[in-house]
Amino acid sequence: MKIRLVNSGVFTPIDDIKATLTAPADGFYWIDADVEDLAEIQPLFLLHDLAVEDCLSEEEQRPKIEIYENHYFIVVNSIRFDDEEIFLRALNVFLGRHFIITVTKQKIHELRSIKPLLWEDEVNTPDRFLYILIDLVTDNYFTVATGSKPGSTSLRKTSSCIRKKRI
């Protein structure tokens, strides 16, 4: 788990997660966690049981937003095209007034590439972070769609599987 204070796009590492329970004077906290970290994070931030259950579930989650008393829970799917196959990876996000918690089971490219954009835009709020993150994920769908070979069997198979799963 990585904990950072983000203030005008500048990152300051935080060692003690309990320091993130109160809002900073400026900026917000970004906690980038694995699903194993939820046992520690959930009681501290009062994350809703159903949202945590969704993060831990082996079933593929559909993109969604859930509104809870002290946070939002958002699921988006990152996409990757590799060796003629398309992979969807769940990106779970808890958004609070002074924090954003990202939870993944696998590495997500967009989380590694977001830092320069936050710095460039001097991001100072968790909702702006979320906007940039979802924009990156969405842009990557177009990259995958245009980067795969036209008429690719894998692309057709994957898109039909996605449609079947969602019906």
Side-chain angles (χ1 to χ4, degrees):
M1 169 172 33
K2 293 182 182 174
I3 307 166
R4 304 169 186 97
L5 170 64
V6 182
N7 186 0
S8 298
V10 177
F11 294 84
T12 305
I14 304 293
D15 294 326
D16 183 10
I17 192 167
K18 291 183 181 171
T20 65
L21 296 178
T22 56
D26 291 307
F28 64 97
Y29 295 107
W30 173 23
I31 300 168
D32 188 21
D34 296 323
V35 291
E36 296 82 21
D37 298 319
L38 286 171
E40 180 180 1
I41 296 170
Q42 182 182 13
L44 294 173
F45 290 91
L46 305 174
L47 303 179
H48 197 278
D49 290 342
L50 292 175
V52 170
E53 184 179 312
D54 283 350
C55 291
L56 298 172
S57 173
E58 292 300 319
E59 291 184 30
E60 186 177 310
Q61 294 295 314
R62 293 182 184 182
K64 64 180 175 179
I65 184 167
E66 301 283 345
I67 302 170
Y68 296 109
E69 188 174 329
N70 64 336
H71 63 83
Y72 293 93
F73 176 63
I74 301 107
V75 178
V76 293
N77 288 313
S78 174
I79 191 168
R80 191 182 89 199
F81 183 70
D82 192 24
D83 294 329
E84 296 295 317
E85 291 194 49
I86 294 176
F87 299 95
L88 294 176
R89 294 181 170 173
L91 172 56
N92 304 289
V93 180
F94 295 90
L95 177 69
R97 292 185 190 275
H98 72 279
F99 65 86
I100 188 162
I101 302 169
T102 52
V103 181
T104 59
K105 291 181 183 174
Q106 303 101 356
K107 300 268 185 224
I108 303 279
H109 171 74
E110 292 84 356
L111 289 176
R112 292 192 309 257
S113 59
I114 197 168
K115 291 179 189 178
L117 298 173
L118 298 177
W119 183 78
E120 182 180 311
D121 287 359
E122 297 183 1
V123 171
N124 212 35
T125 61
D127 57 332
R128 181 70 180 153
F129 176 106
L130 178 64
Y131 174 84
I132 292 171
L133 180 59
I134 291 176
D135 190 51
L136 277 172
V137 169
T138 304
D139 286 351
N140 203 30
Y141 272 78
F142 292 107
T143 302
V144 168
T146 58
S148 60
K149 296 176 186 167
S152 167
T153 304
S154 181
L155 184 58
R156 283 197 309 268
K157 284 181 184 175
T158 303
S159 62
S160 69
C161 287
I162 291 171
R163 281 194 299 268
K164 287 178 185 174
K165 283 185 177 181
R166 294 188 175 178
I167 293 178

